[in-house]
Amino acid sequence: MSSAYPYAPATTVRLTVGQAVVRFLAAQHSERDGKERRLIAGMFGIFGHGNVAGVGQALLENAVTCADDPDVAPMPYWLMRNEQGGVHAAAGFAKETRRRQTLAVTTSIGPGATNMVTGAALATTNRLPVLLLPSDQFATRYPDPVLQQLEDPRSLDVSVNDAFKPVSRSWDRINRPEQLMPSLLNAMRVLTDPAETGAVTICLPQDVQAEAYDWPVEFFDKRVWHIGRPQADPAALARAVEAIRTAQRPLLIAGGGVIYADGAQALRDFATATGIPVADTQSGKGAINFDHESSVGGVGATGNSAANCLAAQADLIIGVGTRYSDFTTASHTAFARPDVRFVNVNVQAFDAAKLSATMVVGDARDTLDALRAGLEGWRTDDGYRAEVARLRQEWDAVVEQCYHRDHSPLPAQTEVFGALNEALAERDVIINAAGSMPGDLQCLWRASSPDQYHLEYAYSTMGYEIPAALGVRLAMGPDDDRNVVTVVGDGSYQMLPMELATIAAEGLKVIVVLLQNHGFASIGALSESVGSQRFGTKYRMRNDSTGRLDGAQVPLDLAANAESWGLKVLRCNGIADFRSHLRTALDGDEAVVLYIETDLLGPNPPGSSWWDVPVAEVSALESTQAARAAYEQGKRAQRHHL
């Protein structure tokens, strides 16, 4: 089947839908602050019957013809090993480019498509643009049900791809070729919208992908999507300035929005001028350099004692580019003063309105500059700044202790982080996601630039670390000599290690630090704290006498497994050995896995906050009864900010 576009033949080009997708995406660009970039820098994919003859054929044709046709821009293609990994890599790519660029991911129908759902949720939760192109069942419904089709008797129009709707910022299904034009144009709008961005899903029925259509040639013209800087309303700025001027103990919390807006220098200038201390979220770490006199580090459930002490006594919280996750607010216990007020600067009104704040909807960089101008001549008092300096100094001593514990017989993972923090250059990148590591890193890591700290903790997805490193490395380009170091625990590693093969195949320099402690450190500690005695959190053989998984350690050899994917592996016997091998890896030019065993039980940094994880209200176990009493005590500090 085909449709004729009502234009003269000279103004159309006949292509399949798959070919049109590739040609259109290759012509899209973004621009911010006068710098233009390719918007969709390439495509990950795994081919199956749903896309091999559609988008897959189009990618091949693009690769063959673009060298001879100046009107056809190339669309780089990378073979991933797992569809979820491809989305994580795209998200890592987008984060590294500060949402100026991203990647597309093509999959077959059925399991190939649904493998991407977790990645879509991660991207949308983290406000990162990714373009997902899952194949779909036949639009004509002739072969019904087709292989891997999920039949829903409530509606024959439902497919597994409907699962993407709640985890996407934009979702569409292309049942006719001409629907592709408004759909792709809308997709580019969402991908480049700083307030509304996230996963964009366009479902492509496999028969429609191969269908030809006469497309208007201007559909494939180069387009530049301008990423603006929304300006705050002057009246809102005036209200925020007045709130700050009347505060005695203000605290600013920097979120990822500061970094995405290239607002790091504006934040540093604001802090220098006003003397207001600056805490950070996982996404905002590095927005202010750790050695700035106003920098107090991570705040909230995984924050440090300096930031949390200031948060508890603050009479004004200035949230800039943060969505106030429950870790940032310590489940609404961090900001303890009864009279505490909030000023929120955010490009999205949804976030600016949180905690009953004075809302300032606008670009973080420009708004910080405007607030600094409005506060000219105002500064926090000497006593408050002296208190900030003292708290910073006290916490710095704790960091030194955690980084150099000399713990035995196995090192604490904080010692590994210390070695990394001291070895990485200012603009090298460290990547991490789920488990106990993000908590230790937010507490301890001394970030010297907004480029250095790459944590995914909005969706806290195990398995993100290795694919994200692939995406970050690709985003840097071949001429960038910075190091990409991804840190992954044995639990996360076992979730999604296969993109190591992609890293090897592409010859990319990525350093993977693989920590083996034979269990789930984070959930084990949480289990113990809620009275569940670390049940089911260690890698153990089934014990015939107890019937539980509390026998001998499972004989995992993750170093050998990592080596089997095609990477060089260096086994590290203790911290001194790790430091030596790390230096070798940083100075080298190939991908390396540094394998080290660490103590499952820590020790970890001292806690200074609370997190709401409900404990069983009734139990026959004394451990659970005690945990419930502690939980009820913690909840007494919880509040709504109205």
Side-chain angles (χ1 to χ4, degrees), residues 363-544:
D363 176 77
R365 186 196 72 179
D366 290 359
T367 303
L368 283 167
D369 284 341
L371 290 174
R372 176 167 56 88
L375 291 165
E376 186 173 359
W378 180 90
R379 189 168 168 79
T380 58
D381 65 42
D382 294 344
Y384 188 45
R385 295 199 303 276
E387 179 184 350
V388 170
R390 175 180 58 79
L391 290 169
R392 278 171 41 84
Q393 186 176 25
E394 290 172 356
W395 180 251
D396 191 59
V398 175
V399 174
E400 285 297 314
Q401 182 185 35
C402 291
Y403 276 179
H404 303 97
R405 286 190 182 278
D406 197 23
H407 186 65
S408 63
L410 294 174
Q413 71 181 20
T414 60
E415 296 176 78
V416 175
F417 299 149
L420 288 166
N421 208 167
E422 292 162 5
L424 265 59
E426 179 177 339
R427 296 189 64 242
D428 288 344
V429 180
I430 184 168
I431 300 169
N432 188 241
S436 63
M437 297 183 193
D440 289 1
L441 286 165
Q442 193 193 10
C443 262
L444 303 174
W445 191 266
R446 295 160 168 164
S448 52
S449 79
D451 304 294
Q452 191 181 67
Y453 190 82
H454 182 124
L455 265 283
E456 189 287 296
Y457 210 56
Y459 207 55
S460 186
T461 308
M462 296 179 70
Y464 173 80
E465 298 90 341
I466 292 171
L470 166 64
V472 170
R473 182 78 266 173
L474 289 172
M476 287 180 173
D479 298 325
D480 195 321
D481 62 358
R482 290 182 292 158
N483 282 296
V484 177
V485 179
T486 189
V487 188
V488 58
D490 48 9
S492 237
Y493 177 88
Q494 292 177 80
M495 291 277 185
L496 210 64
M498 61 283 296
E499 300 311 329
L500 289 176
T502 308
I503 291 169
E506 298 293 341
L508 300 172
K509 182 188 175 183
V510 170
I511 299 170
V512 179
V513 177
L514 173 54
L515 276 62
Q516 166 77 298
N517 56 24
H518 301 280
F520 297 107
S522 175
I523 297 304
L526 179 63
S527 171
E528 189 169 45
S529 73
V530 299
S532 295
Q533 304 174 17
R534 295 184 179 260
F535 175 75
T537 64
K538 299 178 182 179
Y539 301 138
R540 296 291 188 270
M541 305 291 286
R542 181 72 63 184
N543 188 328
D544 291 338

Side-chain angles (χ1 to χ4, degrees), residues 22 106 126 141 148 152 196 210 240 246 255 270 297 322 325 343 412 454 469 508 558 567 582-583 589 608 638:
V22 172
T106 175
N126 283 276
R141 299 183 186 169
Q148 297 178 327
D152 189 330
E196 295 297 328
T246 56
F270 177 88
T322 176
S325 77
V343 168
H454 182 124
L508 300 172
L558 297 186
L567 270 67
L582 174 60
R583 190 71 266 160
D589 57 6
S608 60
Q638 201 169 34

Side-chain angles (χ1 to χ4, degrees), residues 609-627:
S609 197
W610 186 74
W611 184 36
D612 191 345
V613 178
V615 180
E617 193 168 0
V618 296
S619 173
L621 302 177
E622 290 184 5
S623 60
T624 306
Q625 295 168 9

Side-chain angles (χ1 to χ4, degrees), residues 105-156:
V105 187
T106 175
T107 73
S108 190
I109 76 166
T114 54
N115 278 351
M116 294 199 295
V117 173
T118 294
L122 177 147
T124 297
T125 307
N126 283 276
R127 321 285 168 82
L128 293 171
V130 297
L131 178 60
L132 310 181
L133 303 172
S135 299
D136 215 324
Q137 61 199 43
F138 276 62
T140 62
R141 299 183 186 169
Y142 277 128
D144 185 39
V146 71
L147 176 65
Q148 297 178 327
Q149 178 179 336
L150 175 73
E151 294 181 277
D152 189 330
R154 295 170 298 176
S155 171
L156 299 185

